[in-house]
Amino acid sequence: MKILALDSSGLVASAAVLQDDILVGEYTVNYKKTHSQTLLPMLDELKKITQLNLEEIDAIAVAAGPGSFTGLRIGCATAKGLGLALGKPLVAVPTLEGLAYNLWGTDRLICPMMDARRNQVYTGIYEFVRTQSPAGELQLQTLIPQCAADVREIVARVNELGKRAGKGADREVIFLGDGVPVYENIIKEEIQIPCFFAPGHLNRQRAGSIAALGGIYYKKGKIQTAAEHRPDYLRSSQAERERLQREAGGKADA
């Protein structure tokens, strides 16, 4: 199995190739350039370095949102274009699941946060649980599905899930994502259980994690055609919200 993965949902642009659970190559950049400038050159360079024949890939995994509206559109268009040209299926991996998967194997709660502005974050809460299969593999489990939420609201939910009244010590939580440095002070003020902040090599989007999860979902048949794929924005863009406000104001004036 060979998976090509793309993530341009946030500040980071990243591309990766996974073959039979081995990360063959990954190209990740988080530096002051738009994804329209970086994603295709990164993919081309990765293709050259790994001698990747795009005809041989089984699927294209893409971070499907939420995230930057522009970034998601660029990643979506790139994945759809490749899928249509190559006749390959797409695997839509929720962005926050991909972020949480950076911390594979931890026994702590995982709370990824992407800055959504106006004291809101794109977020969710996850944990790894052992399955009932003979091998007892670890599986990412969603406790709070990805959503757009007030920072204090999601920290309150973390506190609820982490508190073990009369049942031993509280659970610990790890926060990660580009929303953490923006709202770190609020998190520290509101958190009531032991918390940690993921280090630099784990705290941003990585196409390697999208590829790994994409491989799992591909085996489970969670695929779609390139024509079917749509990003999951979770909420309307600022321009759309402002248009609706203007229309509502105009109706009220009338």
Side-chain angles (χ1 to χ4, degrees):
M1 181 185 65
K2 189 176 289 187
I3 302 290
L4 172 66
L6 305 171
D7 192 332
S8 59
S9 59
L11 299 175
V12 173
S14 187
V17 178
L18 184 85
Q19 182 172 356
D20 298 329
D21 297 323
I22 296 172
L23 188 61
V24 177
E26 183 178 35
Y27 197 149
T28 299
V29 174
N30 182 17
Y31 186 77
K32 298 181 183 179
K33 290 190 176 181
T34 64
H35 299 327
S36 60
Q37 294 175 291
T38 57
L39 194 60
L40 284 175
M42 287 166 54
L43 178 57
D44 187 57
E45 190 66 24
L46 185 65
K47 176 175 171 288
K48 291 175 184 176
I49 291 173
T50 63
Q51 298 181 325
L52 174 66
N53 180 354
L54 290 174
E55 297 287 348
E56 295 178 353
I57 64 173
D58 294 291
I60 301 160
V62 60
S68 156
F69 284 82
T70 302
L72 287 174
R73 288 181 181 121
I74 292 168
C76 169
T78 304
K80 286 169 73 75
L82 288 169
L84 288 168
L86 299 168
K88 304 293 182 179
L90 268 58
V91 182
V93 178
T95 301
L96 292 156
E97 290 185 19
L99 259 173
Y101 209 71
N102 287 1
L103 303 179
W104 186 93
T106 182
D107 60 354
R108 298 178 172 96
L109 295 171
I110 306 168
C111 184
M113 289 183 172
M114 299 174 66
D115 184 18
R117 310 289 175 87
R118 300 182 179 180
N119 279 346
Q120 282 203 330
V121 288
Y122 296 123
T123 187
I125 304 176
Y126 305 86
E127 67 177 353
F128 284 94
V129 296
R130 195 169 294 280
T131 66
Q132 298 299 314
S133 66
E137 297 99 341
L138 287 177
Q139 179 176 298
L140 184 67
Q141 178 170 296
T142 301
L143 300 176
I144 302 292
Q146 59 181 27
C147 58
D150 182 271
V151 179
R152 288 182 171 83
E153 176 188 335
I154 194 64
V155 175
R157 298 302 303 274
V158 170
N159 288 332
E160 290 174 10
L161 290 168
K163 288 289 185 182
R164 290 173 167 170
K167 298 180 181 179
D170 294 339
R171 290 192 70 178
E172 299 172 337
V173 60
I174 303 177
F175 292 97
L176 71 161
D178 60 48
V180 171
V182 179
Y183 302 110
E184 184 173 348
N185 289 337
I186 295 177
I187 295 170
K188 288 179 176 177
E189 288 170 5
E190 301 292 328
I191 196 69
Q192 297 173 10
I193 62 175
C195 74
F196 301 88
F197 299 104
H201 66 297
L202 297 173
N203 67 12
R204 294 293 188 274
Q205 288 91 333
R206 289 185 54 189
S209 291
I210 298 297
L213 261 181
I216 293 171
Y217 295 161
Y218 176 76
K219 290 176 183 177
K220 292 181 178 180
K222 295 182 178 181
I223 60 175
Q224 54 189 189
T225 66
E228 291 171 332
H229 177 67
R230 297 288 186 277
D232 183 7
Y233 297 116
L234 277 188
R235 68 179 192 182
S236 302
S237 69
Q238 182 176 344
E240 290 169 322
R241 293 196 301 272
E242 290 174 352
R243 177 181 60 80
L244 291 172
Q245 287 174 354
R246 287 195 301 271
E247 290 176 355
K251 291 176 182 177
D253 293 340

